């Protein structure tokens, strides 16, 4: 992922371009780990010494306000950031703590109405054990 793609994404959502915004968006688009704000800050602070945790919080808020990211609340301990804004579900692994993208089940991704109601967002969360943890268990 290069800087140009991050700039294009920011522009596509009408977000003003700054160096911290480019770096944060690039990180989110490159690292599909559903990070917290603190994860983003810790990943970028060495490369951007003037970056503050407050700047990351404010930038993430701007991204959310413009619809460039969404927040996941599948985990009651953290609010995670999702840069993939296409409708999809998530699995929280109760063993390793990873959040994994899943296809939507039972709902079409382009659903705009449901039972006569307007649908703006779809959140489908599952909690269980991921395939990596199951494979490790099987190997033991």
């Amino acid at each position: 992922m290069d800087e140009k793609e991050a700039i294009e994404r920011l522009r596509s959502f009408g977000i003003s371009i700054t160096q911290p915004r480019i770096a944060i968006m690039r990180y989110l688009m490159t690292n599909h780990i559903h990070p917290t704000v603190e994860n983003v800050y810790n990943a970028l602070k060495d490369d951007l010494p003037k970056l503050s945790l407050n700047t990351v919080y404010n930038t993430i808020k701007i991204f959310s306000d413009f619809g460039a990211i969404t927040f996941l609340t599948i985990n009651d301990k953290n609010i995670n950031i999702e840069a993939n804004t296409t409708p999809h579900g998530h699995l929280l692994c109760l063993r390793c703590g990873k959040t994994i993208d899943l296809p939507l089940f039972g709902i079409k991704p382009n659903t705009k109405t449901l039972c006569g109601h307007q649908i703006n967002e779809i959140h489908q969360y599952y909690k269980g054990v991921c395939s990596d943890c199951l494979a490790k268990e099987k190997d033991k």
Side-chain angles (χ1 to χ4, degrees):
M1 157 83 41
D2 65 7
E3 193 173 282
K4 183 179 176 185
E5 290 174 276
I7 291 169
E8 287 174 12
R9 182 171 172 119
L10 292 170
R11 285 188 177 139
S12 74
F13 283 95
I15 300 170
S16 300
I17 308 298
T18 66
Q19 202 56 46
R21 290 177 184 176
I22 294 168
I24 293 167
M25 182 55 76
R26 184 177 181 192
Y27 177 82
L28 293 173
M29 291 173 66
T30 304
N31 297 282
H32 305 282
I33 59 169
H34 307 93
T36 63
V37 171
E38 290 81 6
N39 295 143
V40 175
Y41 170 71
N42 288 327
L44 298 176
K45 67 182 180 181
D46 291 339
D47 292 334
L48 299 169
K50 293 183 181 181
L51 186 69
S52 70
L53 183 57
N54 192 48
T55 297
V56 177
Y57 271 106
N58 291 336
T59 300
I60 295 299
K61 171 86 170 80
I62 289 167
F63 289 177
S64 174
D65 289 348
F66 279 83
I69 59 109
T70 57
F71 294 113
L72 302 179
T73 56
I74 187 172
N75 179 338
D76 60 355
K77 296 175 187 160
N78 296 306
I79 295 175
N80 299 82
I81 304 161
E82 173 66 82
N84 177 359
T85 56
T86 61
H88 62 281
H90 293 94
L91 167 75
L92 172 64
C93 180
L94 298 173
R95 298 251 167 79
C96 67
K98 286 189 297 191
T99 302
I100 300 160
D101 290 341
L102 292 174
L104 287 177
F105 295 101
I107 300 173
K108 294 179 182 172
N110 59 354
T111 299
K112 300 293 183 212
T113 60
L114 189 61
C115 299
H117 307 287
Q118 176 182 320
I119 304 301
N120 294 339
E121 294 181 30
I122 298 172
H123 298 275
Q124 197 171 71
Y125 297 144
Y126 297 89
K127 294 181 181 180
V129 181
C130 72
S131 58
D132 291 341
C133 288
L134 289 172
K136 287 176 190 172
E137 232 174 61
K138 188 176 178 183
D139 290 342
K140 286 184 181 180

